[in-house]
Amino acid sequence: MSLKEYARKRDFDHTPEPAPKESAGHRKQIFVVQEHDARSLHFDFRLEVNGVLKSWAVPKGPSMNPEDKRLAIETEDHPLSYAHFEGTIPEGEYGAGTVRIWDHGTWEPDREHRNVEQSLEKGVLDFFLHGRKLDGEFILIRTDYPDVKNSWMLQKKKDDEVVTKAYDARKIPAEA
Ligand code: MN
């Protein structure tokens, strides 16, 4: 059964007990792209999967042009709350530099990829983004180039949202 009864009996503004955690069934999963001006500028692409942010560092940033295959290096999972983080990581700390939210929104897997963990395990995830800049269908494919560990390829799939001219995320300002 659901946690409705638990929630109905309690006012979480007044009790220290935990509110039921929203599940993906009750709200849409989020994605965020953070522009990270660290040792080298890159874009951190993060998808909410089962309560964490699955993360990839994309050196050139995502593209809305389906001809672009963008290297995406899988990095460690981040907490969901990281999706709201913007600020400066001090010198000497891991990832020192400025983080800004470049795009954010919701996402969902393609029907064939409803089991996202399994799709990621297999190395192919077909999905839809609903952001301000990134919109429509994308695919992530594990490539495992011998010289780049944990490497994936991020590519826009052809649909009505594509951009056919050159697309450079580095030239598109982060959100204000
Ligand atoms: Mn980063």
Side-chain angles (χ1 to χ4, degrees), residues 36 42 44 46 57:
H36 188 182
H42 61 273
D44 291 304
R46 309 188 197 278

Side-chain angles (χ1 to χ4, degrees), residues 6 11-19:
Y6 174 87
D11 180 348
F12 295 103
D13 289 334
H14 294 105
T15 174
E17 296 168 293

Side-chain angles (χ1 to χ4, degrees), residues 1-12 15-21:
M1 277 294 284
S2 77
L3 295 169
K4 272 185 194 149
E5 183 71 357
Y6 174 87
R8 191 182 61 77
K9 291 177 175 168
R10 293 168 175 82
D11 180 348
F12 295 103
T15 174
E17 296 168 293
K21 238 185 117 183

Side-chain angles (χ1 to χ4, degrees), residues 62-132:
S63 175
M64 284 292 291
N65 186 327
E67 290 185 7
D68 295 329
K69 294 178 177 179
R70 293 290 160 82
L71 172 67
I73 299 155
E74 191 178 356
T75 58
E76 76 275 22
D77 294 350
H78 277 51
L80 263 192
S81 54
Y82 205 90
H84 307 289
F85 178 72
E86 286 193 297
T88 299
I89 303 166
E91 278 302 319
E93 298 301 313
Y94 180 75
T98 304
V99 175
R100 285 191 300 170
I101 294 172
W102 185 82
D103 195 18
H104 76 280
T106 60
W107 80 280
E108 80 260 351
D110 178 75
R111 313 171 142 267
E112 310 284 309
H113 296 261
R114 281 206 192 107
N115 188 335
V116 176
E117 296 264 17
Q118 194 180 75
S119 293
L120 291 174
E121 195 69 37
K122 286 182 178 169
V124 182
L125 179 65
D126 198 326
F127 59 101
F128 297 86
L129 297 178
H130 312 286
R132 293 185 186 184

